[in-house]
Amino acid sequence: MSGHFIDVILPIPIQKTFTYSVTQSEYEFLKKGMRVAVSFGKTKMYTGLVFKLHKIQPELYDAKDILQILDDRPIVTEHQLNHWEWVSNYYMCGIGEVYRAALPSAFLLESETVIFKNETFKNNETLDDEEFLIYEALQHQSQLTIHQVVDILGKKKVLPIINGLIQKSAVYIKEEIYEQYKPKLIKYVRLHSNYSNKNHLENLLTELSRAKKQRDVILSFFQLESSKKPIKLKELLAFSGSSSAIVKALVDKGILEYYFIQTDRVSYTGERNQLQNLNEFQDKALKEIKDCFKTKDVTLFHGVTSSGKTEVYTKLIQDILDVGKQALFLLPEIALTTQIIVRLQYYFGNQISVFHSKYSMNERVEVWNNVLENKSKAQIILGARSSIFLPFNNLGLIVVDEEHETSYKQFEPSPRYNARDAAIVLSHLHQGKILLGSATPSLESYFNATEKKYGFVELKRRFGEVKLPKIQLVDIKEKQRKREMIGHFSDTLLKQIQDELDQKKQVILFQNRRGFSPVVECKTCGVSPQCPNCDVSLTFHKYKQELKCHYCNYQRAMPNSCGACGSNTLDTKGFGTEQIELELKELFPNHIIGRMDLDTTRGKFGYQKIIGAFQSREIDILVGTQMLSKGLDFDNVSLVGILNADMMLNFPDFRAHERAFQLMVQVSGRAGRSKQQGKVIIQTYNPYHQILQQVSSTDYSAMYKEQIQDRWQYHYPPYYRLIKITLKHKDYQKVDTGISWLSKALQNVFREHVLGPTEPHVSRIRNQYIKNVMIKIPPKQSIVKTKREIFKIKNTFQAVADFRPIRFIIDIDAY
């Protein structure tokens, strides 16, 4: 019997698609990339995606009918589906998992989706009868599932109705509701441009000799102006003891004027400006990149920190827009997007859309539709790693900024892709070009460039001929012996901080641990409080007086006495950003200290608030974790302090030294970006460590040569590829038996290239025990055949009844 069928991708972790039956008219209407609502299993309902239309009946099961068609045009493009297939094959995950990761959650309604009422919704008149029924039901119940909606309306075709409610913002589905941030507009005051030279000022004071109060305000203004900081209206009023009416009178006379410092906005209303002219070195780099693009699709752009890479990117983006194509600008960290948005909007105005996880679902759906329709406001997409999944039509250029960053790799949940590598494939599918930019490229990219696989361009000078910062290593072992440490600060660092603050400069201090102290220990019996769900000690957060697990977010109040022996001699060991912040407040009571870590940047605009305050010089010293290393640009920072370099070096990982070098060079690059040479002080117990010596001379090639030799010797990337297999289960015995069976099976096939089984340094997280085994793939071995063998072993493993409940995770290029 011949009929009409479609193969559908379901958002579940299963390797293959499923076949459903459709009528002839549905078959003629449907296209690849449209969504359909289907039932799966006994009761489940999913939003599936049409992958293929055909007339072949499935042999192993009867094809069910679809419930309804949800789109009148495809919302996923042919290029995207090809890209998803590549991600699915390369990273060994189901195409359904890629589908779930790629689409905003509003597109993926399913029977388990929970719907909540939006309390702020007021326009009941805009709802039609069926929508109103659901909205009414939510007045009496706090939440509804899709199944309950089916019962309320007495019909199966409910997804479009729920979609309509989501679009009208009457309901929302379970996701974090981010704060609505209305930035505080702070009024600043400056002298009108008519009064710029000395004669004008003398005339002005003579002119105001009768208006004594106004004259006092102006004199106070000059006193404040000597601090070189923008002057807030509030500050001026407090300092001069005057009223706002007097200042307004001066504004009306055209002597003073109000203005706002406002950098944190996403929708841009200002004029578009001309692109900045490049200096000769940037210009040379731009020409070299264009030459490389003639023969190579991928080019690595190695430019030292503050060499003006962003300006080179803008020229390339402009060229792509001129030929009517789209550009994607990938950034590793949401914190960075806030700064780059402002810089790019200055040139490209409304052609930019931003896409990352801190945006609400409706905003993400809107960006998705704009990109799909190739609207003028979606010609440049600025985003974090997930933006590679957007429905581009004609992508001409991808810029991967800070390409060495680990944030480009997704670890949980599947697909465990690397956005940089997936972007290279994406640009190839669109026959576009891709530029990887970094001051400290990853060894893999640099290796590919030396092997002539990628084009390679260098920019060795900082913009404006500013010298690279002067880096000084301070031996804290020696300082402690001589009693020259105050808390966690050496006298050298404190003196330097004081000098910079006296010159009205700003300081950045880096400590890659958040919280107050990573370990709390009882002095009497030596026991430290542990997380009940993970094998890790709890971190003390003083601000909330609580102990917190940084792996599963378990928290409890800080105890007064030891839980083991009852003594109250609890002591803290190690230090995090919070402890540094508190020490600084005592050491520099007259200065404003800010902190930027995961705890202070929770909300959608958490980053903007801190970066905005630091940029407008309201914060004098900023303490932070590795967020600070991600290409932020502050023109008034003259000193960077790294408080404990050894913590990054002594890490059980083959990339520890490469990462430590990258982090320290990147953090150092935040200093002295405008005119003067910056200073960097690195505190360490081991100043003669070769990595620290290479950092102090910013010698990338020495680091590269040494590390690449080690990689060759010990069989690590870029020469060998790595596949990590992880087993997780709450029963330790099960995981232990499973991993020994698995490693034996793998050793039978891959012999000496199997490492393990091993336990990670945190071997239990959220009550799940974890064991790993690593497979190294030599340069000549076929990766396709290797994966085929691993799939066979996985299927055999999961066929054993005892092993079936164990979570089996495959991570390709697991580093």
Side-chain angles (χ1 to χ4, degrees):
M1 167 194 146
S2 84
H4 297 83
F5 300 98
I6 54 172
D7 288 350
V8 169
I9 304 172
L10 295 176
I12 49 178
I14 288 176
Q15 224 57 38
K16 50 182 189 292
T17 54
F18 288 86
T19 306
Y20 284 83
S21 153
V22 288
T23 63
Q24 186 171 345
S25 59
E26 285 173 334
Y27 183 84
E28 283 160 9
F29 178 77
L30 281 167
K31 289 188 183 71
K32 201 172 167 177
M34 284 184 179
R35 290 171 309 144
V36 288
V38 295
S39 62
F40 181 73
K42 283 181 183 162
T43 56
K44 291 210 168 93
M45 193 154 94
Y46 285 108
T47 300
L49 191 79
V50 179
F51 186 62
K52 197 170 156 194
L53 295 106
H54 59 89
K55 295 185 180 176
I56 308 153
Q57 191 164 351
E59 290 170 13
L60 301 172
Y61 55 90
D62 285 337
K64 291 182 181 175
D65 294 339
I66 63 169
L67 298 177
Q68 72 195 105
I69 297 170
L70 297 173
D71 297 310
D72 47 15
R73 62 189 174 120
I75 63 156
V76 171
T77 67
E78 191 79 41
H79 280 316
Q80 271 179 296
L81 289 169
N82 295 339
H83 190 232
W84 291 4
E85 276 191 279
W86 177 84
V87 171
S88 160
N89 292 333
Y90 185 79
Y91 292 103
M92 292 176 80
C93 60
I95 195 161
E97 293 175 289
V98 186
Y99 167 45
R100 176 173 282 268
L103 264 75
S105 50
F107 284 147
L108 288 174
L109 298 177
E110 54 190 70
S111 44
E112 271 85 48
T113 302
V114 180
I115 304 159
F116 297 86
K117 183 179 71 171
N118 181 2
E119 299 295 344
T120 57
F121 179 73
K122 295 284 181 285
N123 302 358
N124 293 3
E125 306 80 62
T126 58
L127 304 180
D128 63 30
D129 294 350
E130 288 176 320
E131 288 172 344
F132 190 72
L133 266 177
I134 300 168
Y135 187 70
E136 264 297 307
L138 281 168
Q139 308 287 351
H140 308 294
Q141 268 170 290
S142 60
Q143 58 187 63
L144 291 173
T145 63
I146 302 258
H147 270 315
Q148 288 168 311
V149 174
V150 169
D151 294 342
I152 292 167
L153 297 178
K155 64 176 190 178
K156 277 213 160 166
K157 300 191 172 186
V158 298
L159 297 190
I161 300 162
I162 295 163
N163 263 326
L165 281 164
I166 291 173
Q167 276 159 9
K168 290 172 183 171
S169 298
V171 301
Y172 63 88
I173 61 180
K174 189 67 186 152
E175 62 158 356
E176 282 185 71
I177 293 295
Y178 292 111
E179 57 189 305
Q180 288 301 307
Y181 167 54
K182 297 237 179 337
K184 260 196 335 208
L185 282 173
I186 296 171
K187 259 191 193 178
Y188 288 86
V189 187
R190 63 182 165 215
L191 207 56
H192 199 284
S193 50
N194 299 346
Y195 295 97
S196 49
N197 66 30
K198 286 235 168 98
N199 301 343
H200 287 154
L201 292 178
E202 280 167 17
N203 298 344
L204 169 65
L205 290 172
T206 326
E207 203 180 302
L208 292 177
S209 54
R210 288 198 181 148
K212 187 176 176 306
K213 284 184 178 171
Q214 291 182 12
R215 188 190 160 107
D216 288 348
V217 170
I218 293 293
L219 290 168
S220 303
F221 177 85
F222 289 143
Q223 275 176 281
L224 285 172
E225 203 181 30
S226 63
S227 78
K228 300 273 188 300
K229 282 188 180 180
I231 299 167
K232 293 183 194 164
L233 172 62
K234 230 157 114 186
E235 242 177 311
L236 180 62
L237 294 177
F239 188 74
S240 62
S242 178
S243 71
S244 48
I246 293 165
V247 178
K248 190 172 181 317
L250 284 164
V251 172
D252 293 343
K253 282 184 179 176
I255 296 167
L256 291 178
E257 60 181 3
Y258 295 138
Y259 70 107
F260 300 99
I261 293 184
Q262 171 61 37
T263 53
D264 41 10
R265 52 167 176 247
V266 173
S267 59
Y268 183 74
T269 48
E271 293 296 309
R272 286 181 53 181
N273 296 276
Q274 285 297 306
L275 290 186
Q276 203 171 326
N277 289 330
L278 303 184
N279 63 25
E280 55 177 306
F281 306 107
Q282 288 172 311
D283 207 40
K284 183 168 170 282
L286 180 66
K287 288 194 178 81
E288 285 174 16
I289 292 169
K290 288 181 178 174
D291 287 345
C292 285
F293 278 158
K294 286 175 190 162
T295 53
K296 300 263 197 306
D297 288 341
V298 186
T299 295
L300 176 65
F301 181 26
H302 180 197
V304 296
T305 52
S306 190
S307 55
K309 292 190 287 292
T310 311
E311 265 58 50
V312 177
Y313 300 154
T314 55
K315 294 281 188 196
L316 289 164
I317 290 171
Q318 188 59 61
D319 290 351
I320 284 297
L321 297 186
D322 290 345
V323 294
K325 293 191 168 187
Q326 294 166 308
L328 169 62
F329 196 129
L330 278 180
L331 293 153
E333 182 73 71
I334 299 168
L336 245 181
T337 55
T338 60
Q339 267 207 338
I340 299 263
I341 289 166
V342 178
R343 284 171 72 176
L344 290 190
Q345 278 176 337
Y346 182 72
Y347 304 132
F348 299 112
N350 272 337
Q351 290 175 292
I352 299 178
S353 287
V354 183
F355 189 85
H356 57 63
S357 60
K358 284 275 201 267
Y359 278 122
S360 74
M361 189 177 56
N362 284 345
E363 288 171 302
R364 275 181 278 172
V365 168
E366 201 178 310
V367 173
W368 181 282
N369 289 333
N370 289 344
V371 174
L372 184 65
E373 291 159 26
N374 201 0
K375 288 205 173 151
S376 63
K377 61 169 98 167
Q379 293 308 298
I380 305 168
I381 297 295
L382 194 69
R385 61 174 180 244
S386 55
S387 48
I388 59 165
F389 291 126
L390 285 166
F392 296 101
N393 296 299
N394 54 352
L395 192 55
L397 173 74
I398 302 179
V399 174
V400 183
D401 195 18
E402 311 292 348
E403 66 84 31
H404 63 278
E405 270 296 337
T406 44
S407 321
Y408 282 127
K409 174 86 170 94
Q410 161 108 344
F411 292 104
E412 267 311 316
S414 181
R416 296 174 178 80
Y417 64 99
N418 184 318
R420 176 196 62 205
D421 302 346
I424 291 173
V425 175
L426 180 66
S427 81
H428 183 69
L429 286 171
H430 282 269
Q431 279 140 18
K433 304 292 178 193
I434 181 162
L435 183 68
L436 310 176
S438 174
T440 51
S442 62
L443 289 189
E444 287 75 20
S445 298
Y446 203 82
F447 176 76
N448 282 333
T450 54
E451 297 283 298
K452 303 281 184 284
K453 201 171 155 190
Y454 296 171
F456 182 62
V457 176
E458 270 187 304
L459 182 53
K460 289 182 170 171
R461 289 171 186 253
R462 284 187 132 187
F463 190 76
E465 292 296 312
V466 181
K467 286 187 182 146
L468 279 166
K470 188 164 160 281
I471 298 175
Q472 182 183 353
L473 297 171
V474 173
D475 185 345
I476 39 184
K477 194 162 64 200
E478 186 67 14
K479 291 282 180 196
Q480 278 171 343
R481 199 172 58 75
K482 291 181 176 170
R483 307 249 168 108
E484 288 173 347
M485 296 285 289
I486 297 176
H488 294 99
F489 298 92
S490 60
D491 56 346
T492 319
L493 180 55
L494 283 176
K495 183 181 178 307
Q496 201 57 59
I497 293 175
Q498 191 60 61
D499 288 353
E500 301 309 320
L501 293 175
D502 290 345
Q503 289 175 36
K504 305 291 180 234
K505 295 287 183 189
Q506 289 167 294
V507 178
I508 283 179
L509 296 176
F510 172 77
Q511 168 60 8
N512 212 4
R513 276 273 180 280
R514 63 192 171 99
F516 181 84
S517 140
V519 180
V520 174
E521 187 182 76
C522 170
K523 280 184 181 171
T524 312
C525 67
V527 168
S528 43
Q530 299 287 314
C531 172
N533 313 319
C534 312
D535 274 345
V536 54
S537 58
L538 294 169
T539 301
F540 175 42
H541 285 245
K542 193 163 189 164
Y543 164 65
K544 288 187 172 169
Q545 280 296 321
E546 68 182 11
L547 294 170
K548 204 169 187 181
C549 171
H550 285 179
Y551 286 86
C552 69
N553 281 329
Y554 167 83
Q555 52 206 49
R556 68 169 211 237
M558 172 74 174
N560 295 324
S561 56
C562 169
C565 70
S567 108
N568 55 4
T569 51
L570 291 178
D571 188 23
T572 58
K573 288 199 169 350
F575 62 104
T577 45
E578 202 183 9
Q579 191 164 345
I580 297 300
E581 181 191 20
L582 291 169
E583 281 184 21
L584 285 168
K585 281 180 176 166
E586 282 179 23
L587 292 164
F588 301 100
N590 303 327
H591 293 277
I592 308 286
I593 318 292
R595 174 160 60 95
M596 183 165 161
D597 56 29
L598 204 59
D599 300 319
T600 60
T601 53
R602 288 277 182 215
K604 175 173 173 180
F605 294 95
Y607 298 104
Q608 267 119 312
K609 290 175 185 174
I610 295 167
I611 290 172
F614 194 62
Q615 241 166 352
S616 53
R617 304 185 189 182
E618 288 167 29
I619 294 174
D620 299 310
I621 306 176
L622 184 60
V623 186
T625 55
Q626 98 277 346
M627 284 178 187
L628 291 173
S629 68
K630 315 260 168 102
L632 293 167
D633 188 6
F634 303 114
D635 58 356
N636 194 39
V637 173
S638 56
L639 172 70
V640 166
I642 296 174
L643 293 164
N644 184 352
D646 310 286
M647 216 161 66
M648 295 177 264
L649 291 167
N650 309 326
F651 207 69
D653 179 2
F654 74 95
R655 303 192 70 136
H657 285 180
E658 178 195 354
R659 293 234 173 101
F661 178 88
Q662 288 166 340
L663 252 179
M664 285 189 262
V665 169
Q666 291 284 353
V667 173
S668 307
R670 302 311 113 218
R673 293 176 75 94
S674 53
K675 296 178 188 70
Q676 281 170 303
Q677 183 182 17
K679 299 181 196 74
V680 178
I681 291 178
I682 300 177
Q683 297 190 154
T684 168
Y685 286 99
N686 184 5
Y688 300 107
H689 194 294
Q690 91 272 10
I691 285 288
L692 293 174
Q693 292 296 325
Q694 287 155 4
V695 169
S696 67
S697 54
T698 322
D699 192 346
Y700 179 85
S701 55
M703 185 277 297
Y704 173 76
K705 281 177 193 140
E706 195 172 315
Q707 294 300 317
I708 208 85
Q709 229 168 345
D710 283 357
R711 300 284 178 89
W712 172 247
Q713 193 178 344
Y714 299 113
H715 296 176
Y716 276 111
Y719 299 103
Y720 280 59
R721 285 183 142 152
L722 296 183
I723 295 181
K724 182 166 86 174
I725 298 179
T726 304
L727 298 187
K728 285 185 178 182
H729 194 266
K730 59 180 186 295
D731 179 345
Y732 178 81
Q733 208 51 52
K734 261 199 171 80
V735 177
D736 201 42
T737 325
I739 202 84
S740 38
W741 182 96
L742 181 65
S743 58
K744 282 194 190 86
L746 290 167
Q747 274 154 2
N748 289 340
V749 181
F750 301 113
R751 311 272 174 245
E752 74 280 5
H753 295 307
V754 177
L755 300 183
T758 57
E759 286 189 358
H761 53 278
V762 178
S763 58
R764 181 176 62 110
I765 295 177
R766 294 192 170 91
N767 277 324
Q768 302 262 327
Y769 289 95
I770 305 167
K771 295 236 172 175
N772 298 328
V773 62
M774 189 84 86
I775 304 158
K776 287 182 172 177
I777 305 172
K780 298 274 187 292
Q781 187 175 310
S782 154
I783 187 140
V784 178
K785 285 181 186 160
T786 306
K787 288 177 182 170
R788 210 172 294 144
E789 290 297 335
I790 293 172
F791 260 132
K792 275 188 206 161
I793 292 170
K794 179 186 177 183
N795 290 337
T796 317
F797 179 86
Q798 290 178 328
V800 179
D802 265 8
F803 296 160
R804 209 166 294 139
I806 300 175
R807 251 190 94 193
F808 190 109
I809 296 166
I810 301 174
D811 194 353
I812 310 283
D813 300 338
Y815 44 79

